[in-house]
């Protein structure tokens, strides 16, 4: 129904996706480098011309540290994407794990935008990289 839903776009159009042959993650058809495993990818020249250069539009990072005593913690990192009608169009568990006393984990989220002018991307309110 929604044109913003992943997988809805036709091959060759904006938002079209494919499967990375290395790590099997769903990525943009136009990706030159897989954002998940960072392998370089082959692509059709017609598709790859469009958006080889991405702009890092958003980066959020935070570190959690377990105090040096007590029981181990478990964590799950959840990622969700909402459209301008506040409808959730994607939701994923990025990773789960445990932190033992004294350990820390740094969680980072980056959003790359393709085919846009760097200045026109951010709408404010969030930390911009
Ligand atoms: Zn990959």
């Amino acid at each position: 129904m929604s044109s913003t839903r992943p997988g809805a776009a036709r091959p060759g159009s904006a938002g079209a996706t494919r499967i990375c042959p290395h790590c099997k993650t769903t990525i943009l058809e136009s990706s030159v480098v897989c954002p998940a495993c960072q392998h370089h990818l082959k692509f059709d020249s017609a598709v790859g011309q469009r958006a080889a250069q991405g702009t890092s539009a958003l980066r959020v990072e935070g570190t959690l540290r377990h105090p040096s005593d007590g029981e181990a913690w478990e964590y799950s990192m959840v990622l969700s994407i909402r459209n301008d009608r506040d409808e959730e169009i994607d939701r994923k568990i990025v990773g789960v794990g445990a932190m033992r006393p004294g350990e820390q984990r740094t969680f980072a989220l980056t959003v790359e935008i393709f085919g846009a002018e760097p200045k026109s991307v951010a709408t404010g309110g969030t930390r911009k990289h």
Side-chain angles (χ1 to χ4, degrees):
M1 268 207 280
S2 169
S3 62
T4 54
R5 186 166 287 278
R10 291 191 312 278
S13 64
T17 58
R18 62 173 167 159
I19 305 296
C20 172
H22 303 286
C23 67
K24 311 301 179 197
T25 300
T26 300
I27 59 173
L28 287 173
E29 189 180 51
S30 57
S31 293
V32 180
V33 176
C34 172
C37 68
Q38 306 194 324
H39 273 91
H40 282 262
L41 303 164
K42 292 181 192 143
F43 53 85
D44 297 338
S45 55
V47 170
Q49 299 293 338
R50 173 157 47 82
Q53 197 71 39
T55 301
S56 182
L58 176 67
R59 181 178 174 86
V60 181
E61 188 173 299
T63 299
L64 297 176
R65 172 178 281 283
H66 193 300
S68 53
D69 56 356
E71 294 184 5
W73 292 349
E74 290 183 304
Y75 64 82
S76 57
M77 183 175 178
V78 181
L79 172 71
S80 80
I81 304 174
R82 294 198 308 275
N83 65 14
D84 50 1
R85 292 186 299 276
D86 214 32
E87 299 162 346
E88 195 166 72
I89 55 174
D90 208 354
R91 182 180 184 86
K92 285 200 166 52
I93 301 290
V94 177
V96 297
M99 293 165 62
R100 287 185 289 278
E103 289 184 338
Q104 73 173 37
R105 295 288 186 277
T106 298
F107 301 91
L109 164 74
T110 57
V111 179
E112 291 213 314
I113 299 290
F114 300 90
E117 293 292 322
K119 282 182 223 158
S120 65
V121 170
T123 57
T126 31
R127 252 195 309 159
K128 196 181 157 193
H129 181 61

